[in-house]
Amino acid sequence: MKKILCAALASAVFAAAICGCSGQKSPSSGSSSDQPSGKTATYDEAPTENSVSTTGNKVHIKDSTLGDIWITELEGVAKNTLKAENFTSDATFKYYSEDGKAASEEGIDISSYTGEIDWKKVKAAGVDFAMVRLGGRGYGEDGSLYSDDKALEYIKGAQAENIKVGGYFFSQATTSDEAAEEAEYVKDLLDGTKLEYPIAFDWEIIKDENARTDSVSSTQATECAKVFCESIKNYGYKPMIYSPARELYFKYDLTQLKDFDIWFVDYTNVPEFYYQFTMWQYSETGSVDGIEGTVDLNICFTNIANY
C-alpha cells in the first residue's frame, strides 16, 4: 500500500486544534517543510461544529504523529474501547485478547510490489487474512483508473490456503461520480469473486504539487468515502475506510461515516485513536515467511468486527 508520510504538523495547526474542530485546518500535503521549494503549506477547511453533530465536549489527544491536540467529540460515533494491557506480541505479530481469550486475527496487506508469495508458508507463519490491493486511480491530472495485475492471483492463492481475503482501492476521487466509478471498477474487476474481509476505500493526501486531490475539501472527501462505501455495500461486499489519524480527525466527517468500519494506520506500539476501529495497520516493515522483503502488518479485532 502506498505509505503515508505523516510529518509533524505546523504549529498553527496545533493552535487551531486546541479550539476543537471549529475553524481547524488540515494539511493537504504534509507540513510546510514537505512542500516543494518556494511553496507554502495549504490547508483545507475541516468540518465545523455548525456542520457536524458534536457533544460539545473537548477531548485531549496524545497522538504519535500529531502530538498533543484537542478535538471536539463527535456525537453518535462509537469510541475506542481497546485496552493497552490486552495487547501482546511476538517476533512477527501483535495480538489482542479479552478475558484471557483471543480476540484478534493477524494479517498482511499486499500489492504487486510484494512479488511472488508462497502462500503455504504465509499460512504456516500465522497469517489469518490478507488485504489485497485491487487497483487505484492515478494522482495526476487525468486520474486514470488501473488494476493491480496480481490482485486476482493473490486472492486465489490466499484462499486456497484458507487465508481470508479482503481488498483495498487506492482512491484519488475528487467527486461523488468518481468515487462511484471506482467502486464499479472494483466490482467489475472482481467479477463475482467472493471475499471474506472488507473492501477498503484508501483515499490519501499526496505530497505532490500536482496531485489532483490538493483542493478537495473535507465535505468532498467525506462524500467520496460515503459514496464508495455505499456502492461497495450495494455490490454485496463489506465496505471499510483506510486512514491515519490526521484524515480521520480533520478531513472526514465521521458522523456521516459511522456505519462503516475503519482500518486505522499508525506505526506505534499501542493504538490511541479516540474512535472505534476494527482493523489496525501497525507496521510497514514486517517480516513473514513466504514473502521476500518487508510487508505491512495488520490486526483485526474480532470482538468488534463482524466478519
Side-chain angles (χ1 to χ4, degrees):
M1 179 177 298
K2 189 179 187 306
K3 307 302 188 299
I4 303 174
L5 304 178
C6 293
L9 299 182
S11 59
V13 177
F14 294 129
I18 293 175
C19 299
C21 290
S22 179
Q24 289 186 95
K25 305 291 186 179
S26 172
S28 62
S29 56
S31 67
S32 58
S33 61
D34 296 317
Q35 302 302 307
S37 178
K39 303 275 185 183
T40 57
T42 58
Y43 298 92
D44 292 321
E45 282 291 339
T48 68
E49 292 180 14
N50 293 328
S51 62
V52 178
S53 180
T54 75
T55 66
N57 295 329
K58 298 296 191 285
V59 180
H60 181 221
I61 304 291
K62 285 189 175 183
D63 185 86
S64 64
T65 55
L66 301 177
D68 288 287
I69 61 172
W70 288 82
I71 63 169
T72 303
E73 185 180 61
L74 301 175
E75 186 172 21
V77 180
K79 299 180 184 65
N80 176 11
T81 59
L82 299 171
K83 298 177 180 179
E85 61 268 25
N86 290 354
F87 283 94
T88 57
S89 61
D90 59 22
T92 305
F93 300 112
K94 291 183 183 293
Y95 307 89
Y96 191 76
S97 62
E98 283 197 346
D99 300 323
K101 298 180 180 179
S104 68
E105 291 186 335
E106 287 62 55
I108 57 176
D109 65 84
I110 53 177
S111 71
S112 56
Y113 297 109
T114 309
E116 297 302 315
I117 298 176
D118 185 329
W119 288 106
K120 286 185 181 296
K121 289 183 178 180
V122 169
K123 178 65 175 180
V127 170
D128 299 308
F129 69 92
M131 299 294 286
V132 177
R133 184 181 70 164
L134 303 174
R137 184 188 292 275
Y139 54 83
E141 183 177 347
D142 61 348
S144 300
L145 298 177
Y146 60 86
S147 60
D148 189 302
D149 58 12
K150 282 189 171 292
L152 297 179
E153 174 190 328
Y154 284 161
I155 293 170
K156 182 178 179 180
Q159 290 177 334
E161 298 301 325
N162 294 316
I163 295 173
K164 299 173 185 178
V165 177
Y168 66 91
F169 187 87
F170 177 74
S171 173
Q172 285 291 277
T174 60
T175 65
S176 298
D177 286 345
E178 288 190 344
E181 179 188 29
E182 291 173 355
E184 184 176 17
Y185 188 84
V186 167
K187 183 258 295 182
D188 291 343
L189 173 68
L190 290 172
D191 192 26
T193 300
K194 302 296 183 183
L195 299 180
E196 298 81 17
Y197 260 56
I199 295 174
F201 179 72
D202 173 16
W203 189 95
E204 302 183 17
I205 293 174
I206 302 299
K207 294 185 176 184
D208 188 294
E209 61 180 309
N210 297 316
R212 68 197 315 272
T213 52
D214 282 350
S215 61
V216 173
S217 68
S218 295
T219 299
Q220 289 173 305
T222 299
E223 187 63 20
C224 286
K226 187 174 182 180
V227 167
F228 180 93
C229 288
E230 288 178 342
S231 299
I232 287 296
K233 184 177 180 179
N234 289 337
Y235 293 141
Y237 296 98
K238 179 79 174 178
M240 172 180 271
I241 296 169
Y242 170 96
S243 189
R246 181 176 60 181
E247 278 87 331
L248 292 171
Y249 284 137
F250 302 128
K251 196 70 175 180
Y252 289 133
D253 173 5
L254 294 184
T255 65
Q256 295 189 48
L257 304 174
K258 59 187 177 182
D259 292 334
F260 309 122
D261 288 347
I262 289 175
W263 178 7
F264 177 55
V265 52
D266 188 21
Y267 304 140
T268 188
N269 189 43
V270 175
E272 296 182 348
F273 184 63
Y274 185 70
Y275 299 105
Q276 180 175 285
F277 52 98
T278 55
M279 192 183 299
W280 173 34
Q281 183 189 86
Y282 58 85
S283 176
E284 61 180 345
T285 57
S287 178
V288 173
D289 193 27
I291 296 176
E292 186 175 347
T294 60
V295 65
D296 295 344
L297 299 179
N298 301 269
I299 183 171
C300 178
F301 304 101
T302 54
N303 57 328
I304 300 172
N306 57 2
Y307 37 89

